[in-house]
Amino acid sequence: LLPGEGITAVVDGTDVVHVGNTKLFQRLGLYGLLSDDDRAMVEGWAFRDGGTTGFVSIGGEGIVGAYSVADKIRDEAKGVVHTLRATMGIEVTMLTGDQRPAALGIGNQIGLDHEDIKSELLPEDKMTAISNMVVEEEEKTNNNNTSCCCCCIFKSCCRRRRGAVMMCGDGVNDAPSLALADISVAMGEGAALAMENSDVTLMDSNLEKLVFSLTMGRRVVRIIVVNIVFSLTIKAVVMGFAFAGRASLWAAIISDVGAMLIVTLNSMRLLPSSKKVKNIQASLSSIAGTGPPPAAGGVGDVGGVGEVVV
């Protein structure tokens, strides 16, 4: 196994066979021996189909074959990327070990800009990219805080909330990067090592569940804030009447119990409807093997669902 390049083997004790990407054969000095027509044909595969190209060499015969492997983009991938960027205001970056032409081909199909696509990355390169994003967010926060010109009493009001870096992946190579991200999400159909290093594991590889999780998280935060503000307001009103001598014990009890009931009912809006419960049960049945299997394919990386950083 040649990390980041391919594989090699000895056949019949004499012939050395190499199978791998362009980087491997450039290192071996064989890529430059290809004709211009052959190179153009292989590069065309990557640009046209978004596939990862590679070559096969045997002993002293040089390169004897070429291939192109491409994932089928999930049907929901483009819509999910659009929702994350346009609707939720989240920056999306694709990290992949695929060659640049293949990565650009996939990125164009799911609506990513070229500057948001980082290709030909080894596992350690992905770790560096995630670390840089985390440091960049911290620097943005520190710069904003130091530039605040308010009085010390009100300084906390103008502090910038640090943005979080979330990584979504499913492969063994993604595990170290998942551990470095502020929030890490693994796909249920991915490698066990990725799931062990993630904060959240989706039940399957349906990317729409990622959007659902983010949307639900924001709803939970909003409802918590509303409940706290409502409870404090009720307490303040009752205390005001009490100081004015216009509140009774029963008024305090009713306001307390009433506020608790209203807060509880408001929180229950997060519970799924009966229709959603049936959909969840159907999804769990398919995962357990009692229903139709989920669709295969990834966002853009040959290794699986794709390494998407938001």
Side-chain angles (χ1 to χ4, degrees):
L1 179 64
L2 305 173
E5 294 182 332
I7 58 175
T8 182
V10 177
V11 180
D12 296 332
T14 56
D15 294 331
V16 179
V17 178
H18 290 88
V19 180
N21 56 24
T22 302
K23 187 185 302 183
L24 169 62
F25 290 92
Q26 287 176 337
R27 180 173 63 82
L28 296 176
L30 299 177
Y31 184 76
L33 301 179
L34 286 174
S35 65
D36 293 338
D37 292 339
D38 290 338
R39 280 201 296 266
M41 177 186 66
V42 175
E43 292 174 358
W45 292 346
F47 279 110
R48 183 180 64 254
D49 303 326
T52 296
T53 58
F55 302 92
V56 180
S57 69
I58 300 177
E61 299 181 15
I63 296 177
V64 297
Y67 62 87
S68 176
V69 181
D71 274 343
K72 177 183 179 297
I73 299 178
R74 299 189 65 89
D75 295 335
E76 74 274 10
K78 185 174 182 179
V80 168
V81 171
H82 175 76
T83 301
L84 292 175
R85 300 180 67 190
T87 305
M88 307 184 75
I90 297 176
E91 298 178 5
V92 180
T93 301
M94 183 171 74
L95 307 180
T96 177
D98 289 351
Q99 299 165 2
R100 187 64 179 173
L104 292 178
I106 293 295
N108 290 336
Q109 295 181 58
I110 62 176
L112 285 178
D113 300 327
H114 287 186
E115 57 269 20
D116 295 328
I117 302 172
K118 302 184 185 301
S119 57
E120 301 180 13
L121 300 180
L122 297 175
E124 53 267 28
D125 297 327
K126 294 179 182 180
M127 292 178 60
T128 301
I130 294 294
S131 299
N132 291 340
M133 291 180 185
V134 174
V135 171
E136 182 180 350
E137 288 297 328
E138 291 177 349
E139 291 178 349
K140 288 180 180 179
T141 305
N142 294 335
N143 292 337
N144 184 81
N145 293 342
T146 54
S147 62
C148 181
C149 57
C150 305
C151 298
C152 293
I153 297 177
F154 304 103
K155 190 172 183 179
S156 60
C157 298
C158 61
R159 284 184 178 176
R160 178 184 184 273
R161 185 178 180 181
R162 187 177 82 83
V165 177
M166 181 178 73
M167 178 167 179
C168 178
D170 71 337
V172 174
N173 292 337
D174 302 330
S177 302
L178 288 169
L180 288 177
D182 295 320
I183 307 169
S184 53
V185 180
M187 298 308 197
E189 296 178 357
L193 186 60
M195 289 186 279
E196 291 175 0
N197 285 274
S198 65
D199 300 311
V200 179
T201 298
L202 302 181
M203 294 301 295
D204 56 32
S205 294
N206 188 341
L207 296 175
E208 291 179 347
K209 287 184 171 60
L210 177 63
V211 176
F212 173 80
S213 300
L214 293 172
T215 303
M216 179 60 69
R218 292 185 175 185
R219 286 188 62 196
V220 169
V221 172
R222 285 198 299 267
I223 287 181
I224 289 175
V225 172
V226 169
N227 287 345
I228 292 176
V229 171
F230 175 78
S231 299
L232 293 178
T233 301
I234 293 296
K235 300 295 182 183
V237 170
V238 173
M239 288 181 62
F241 279 108
F243 288 136
R246 296 178 178 274
S248 64
L249 178 60
W250 282 108
I253 294 175
I254 293 174
S255 64
D256 184 72
V257 175
M260 180 189 67
L261 292 176
I262 293 175
V263 166
T264 302
L265 293 174
N266 186 44
S267 301
M268 290 178 64
R269 293 192 299 122
L270 293 171
L271 296 176
S273 62
S274 58
K275 182 178 180 180
K276 289 184 178 180
V277 170
K278 292 181 180 178
N279 292 336
I280 293 174
Q281 291 175 343
S283 178
L284 292 175
S285 298
S286 65
I287 295 172
T290 58
V299 170
D301 189 84
V302 171
V305 177
E307 292 72 27
V308 180
V309 181
V310 294

